Amino acid sequence: MIDIASPLRLRIDSAALVSNWRWLATQSGAACGAAIKADGYGLGARGVMKHLAAAGCGDFFVATWAEAAALMPLAGDVSLSVLHGVGASDMVAARTLPARPVLNSLDQVARWRESGEGRPCDVMVDTGMNRLGLRPEEALGGALEGLKIETLLSHLASADEDSEQNDRQLAAFRALRERIPARRYSLANSAGICLGSDYGFDLTRPGLALYGGVPRREADGAIRQVAFPEARVLQLRDVPAGETVGYGATWTAARASRIAIANMGYADGYLRCHSGSGGARWQARTLPLAGRVSMDLVAFDAGEADGLGEGDWIALDYDLPEVAARSGLSQYELLTGLGGRFDRYWI
Ligand SMILES: *Cc1c(COP(=O)(O)O)cnc(C)c1O
């Protein structure tokens, strides 16, 4: 097959990724792992794992066994956990892959026991989110006795807010820790780490903040941007004053304008809600988005970008907290939405 470069690329800054992990590790006051589900929040789980493992990260979390399988063979002695546990159709993968299930229900616990593996597993207890995990009364009712629990986990529902639910979940998890033996205990995601080292226990599980997301103001200034989407200019055109650009004619040239058409659109995860606030940069010049985003194309006002030519790369504005506030998308959606047409490359 011929290797043809895409007109979209995602530059991924490995030094920023590692710097974010180190900051999170320091704040954790505990071992710091990494959530790399959804293909490393869209950046590429394999690359994220490689760079973080080299920096000393030893614990990784994916959602499904298919995601775990895609990471094989594992390098070195990293630990990999599968957050969604074991469904009936997962047992072959769970038996063969060097990863641990995070058991999420009494059914999953029974399934794991029946498999007769006797291998260590992780267990999720629910302390108020009501998503996955055994209820406290289920976890304390004897179902876990004799299980080799490597990590007992719970997950915070409102850590990105100043919510009393955080204190309640912390207290509930502490109480469970007294009564359920495990080698390690783990509660905090990125936002939870920002709540203070009380939430750190033995192991933390950041995702978003590794990749440049700022989950709470405590992380302002400490977290660096990691993902930099770029698109090639397909065409430059002159639009006379008074004419409009794009579907629905939502942008009108106030003066004779130079418009750059870029090779990117909502099919690449650059959604229509960027209209009105999105933008890009070329050599420190600003290119505001003009009109509606199409499926594969988007127009930018290149009036300030003298010298920009067809085939040049423009860098999208993609500072996650800022763009999230402007677009109404979450920082998670901004990352995980970036599509397969972006060539990922690490620097
Ligand atoms: C996704 C996930 C994390 C990471 O959360 P962030 O908010 O991205 O830091 C941690 N733990 C569990 C159980 C998760 O599902």
Side-chain angles (χ1 to χ4, degrees):
M1 205 178 92
I2 322 171
D3 195 15
I4 296 170
S6 174
L8 296 87
R9 63 189 187 190
L10 183 64
R11 180 161 59 86
I12 310 169
D13 185 337
S14 58
L17 173 76
V18 168
S19 156
N20 293 342
W21 179 75
R22 293 219 163 98
W23 185 80
L24 290 160
T26 304
Q27 298 301 113
S28 296
C32 183
I36 57 170
K37 61 201 184 193
D39 203 18
Y41 288 44
L43 307 192
R46 192 174 272 283
V48 170
M49 188 183 219
K50 184 183 100 180
H51 289 287
L52 290 183
C57 179
D59 296 274
F60 294 88
F61 297 86
V62 291
T64 67
W65 290 96
E67 290 183 339
L71 289 167
M72 300 299 139
L74 294 182
D77 60 347
V78 297
S79 145
L80 183 63
S81 297
V82 178
L83 288 165
H84 294 187
V86 276
S89 59
D90 293 324
M91 284 312 297
V92 172
R95 227 173 262 133
T96 42
L97 293 174
R100 285 191 308 280
V102 179
L103 304 178
N104 279 301
S105 65
L106 291 177
D107 281 350
Q108 291 198 353
V109 170
R111 187 172 291 126
W112 187 247
R113 280 189 191 284
E114 279 159 25
S115 80
E117 295 286 303
R119 276 200 287 154
C121 58
D122 295 343
V123 171
M124 174 73 75
V125 283
D126 183 71
T127 52
M129 179 141 182
N130 278 306
R131 193 177 63 173
L132 291 178
L134 280 77
R135 297 186 59 82
E137 61 271 22
E138 294 174 332
L140 297 172
L144 301 179
E145 262 153 44
L147 221 51
K148 270 195 217 131
I149 304 178
E150 167 67 23
T151 309
L152 188 80
L153 299 82
S154 192
H155 191 51
L156 296 165
S158 304
D160 53 355
E161 293 165 31
D162 294 324
S163 163
E164 283 172 19
Q165 192 180 19
N166 297 325
D167 304 330
R168 283 202 301 274
Q169 287 196 266
L170 178 62
F173 191 60
R174 281 185 170 145
L176 289 164
R177 184 179 60 157
E178 295 307 311
R179 299 182 53 191
I180 303 173
R183 201 174 76 77
R184 297 188 300 179
Y185 298 84
S186 174
L187 176 63
N189 62 345
S190 302
I193 292 169
C194 296
L195 293 175
S197 54
D198 278 359
Y199 286 77
F201 294 91
D202 303 301
L203 171 68
T204 57
R205 315 182 302 269
L208 181 73
L210 292 171
Y211 311 114
V214 178
R216 293 179 58 94
R217 65 193 175 283
E218 291 88 344
D220 261 346
I223 293 297
R224 289 165 56 184
Q225 185 173 348
V226 175
F228 298 85
E230 300 172 332
R232 259 187 203 277
V233 174
L234 175 63
Q235 192 177 100
L236 281 151
R237 48 195 306 129
D238 293 310
V239 177
E243 290 197 9
T244 61
V245 170
Y247 284 124
T250 60
W251 188 90
T252 305
R255 64 191 76 79
S257 298
R258 190 112 172 106
I259 295 292
I261 307 295
N263 257 301
M264 177 187 63
Y266 56 76
D268 304 299
Y270 193 73
L271 301 187
R272 297 205 327 176
C273 54
H274 293 296
S275 295
S277 71
R281 239 143 260 262
W282 179 76
Q283 297 191 351
R285 252 70 66 77
T286 307
L287 293 89
L289 197 150
R292 248 180 223 166
V293 177
S294 302
M295 186 183 294
D296 314 298
L297 296 168
V298 55
F300 292 98
D301 180 350
E304 304 281 307
D306 269 355
L308 176 69
E310 286 176 11
D312 285 342
W313 291 96
I314 58 175
L316 291 187
D317 292 343
Y318 226 67
D319 175 78
L320 294 177
E322 201 180 304
V323 175
R326 289 199 312 230
S327 66
L329 294 171
S330 73
Q331 299 179 68
Y332 298 85
E333 291 166 306
L334 287 169
L335 284 169
T336 57
L338 293 172
R341 289 195 290 195
F342 283 97
D343 281 343
R344 272 96 175 139
Y345 76 104
W346 290 85
I347 57 158

